[in-house]
Amino acid sequence: MAAHQNDSNSSEISDFLLNCFVTSPSWQLWLSLPLSLLFLLAMGANAILLITIWLEASLHEPMYYLLSLLSLLDIVLCLTVIPKVLAIFWFDLRPISFSACFLQMYIMNSFLGMESCTFMVMAFDRYIAICHPLRYPSIITDQFVVKAVIFIVARNVFLCMPIPILSARLYYCGRNVIENCICANMSVSRLSCDDVTLNRLYQFAGGWTLLGSDLILIFLSYILILRAVLKLKAEGAVAKALSTCGSHFILILFFSTILLVFVLTHVVKRKVSPDVPILLNVLHHVIPASLNPIVYGVRTQEIKQGIQRLLKKGW
């Protein structure tokens, strides 16, 4: 962090205060219960999914390994954001230290990027399964999953690292109230007395480069899948193929829709209450995480059967 020792008009601050809903403080009251339930659902459902895939030998396949990675990312994102938000709602524990704030910022940016990249790899998996079924066992292997996980982690760990570093190097001289429930990059950076142009540029370029490229490749994969499916002439083949990748597409579409709405509310923020982007930012860390395992569990017969077998063993 830059040190301005000779600045007599300001004093360096030691922590931040998270101020969730500035114009609509009553939102905290009615949002706390559904947010708590969504958090418990996300943690419980993802934990059950991870345990099922781990214990069921029949699920030790590349597609389910990718699903395990998605569940793990969802758990980390929820634990990084939601407990602190609930502590603010219930106990007004708004202070957050510099180190905790910048750590949260880093985890949020890197793990959201990992989740987007995981969706991209899963879309590629479905593309090979539908469009090149005979080559699927030779392309989508355990080694492929290992290489994909290394790429997912390395890409986002290193490319997202400058975001908290650029924010931490700024000088925070007076204002310490973050008008957000979480330590979002620009919500924090705008409190500093320094120029934040570089922070804005890197956030914009990095976000659109990582998430934008993932979304383009995801939709390209599903366009190719749809084209291949429509050419199938065997009875029931179209319905079966669409069912195979339908759950994937639903979740990806939901993930990208929330992100798009969040971006649009920032673009037209003068016409939208400032609390709306804050609400979307919080929900984006818990709703997809709670829906992912449910949709896969309901629509994937193998996972449903694996959970049923585990429950029988438990009883």
Side-chain angles (χ1 to χ4, degrees), residues 182-238:
I182 60 178
C183 289
N185 178 26
M186 294 316 302
S187 296
V188 176
S189 299
R190 67 167 61 101
L191 297 178
S192 76
C193 302
D194 293 333
D195 182 21
V196 297
T197 303
L198 184 59
N199 298 62
R200 291 180 182 275
L201 289 176
Y202 193 87
Q203 179 77 37
F204 179 82
W208 284 108
T209 300
L210 297 179
L211 301 182
S213 61
D214 290 345
L215 287 176
I216 290 172
L217 292 173
I218 286 168
F219 281 101
L220 178 62
S221 297
Y222 280 101
I223 288 172
L224 294 174
I225 288 172
L226 183 61
R227 189 178 69 173
V229 165
L230 294 177
K231 292 180 180 179
L232 297 175
K233 297 181 180 179
E235 185 177 355
V238 174

Side-chain angles (χ1 to χ4, degrees), residues 96-128:
I96 184 170
S97 66
F98 270 43
S99 57
C101 187
F102 294 125
L103 178 62
Q104 187 191 68
M105 182 188 300
Y106 177 63
I107 293 175
M108 286 190 303
N109 282 279
S110 59
F111 275 69
L112 279 174
M114 289 182 201
E115 188 164 2
S116 173
C117 197
T118 303
F119 278 132
M120 180 189 69
V121 176
M122 293 173 75
F124 177 74
D125 170 89
R126 292 301 87 200
Y127 164 72
I128 298 297

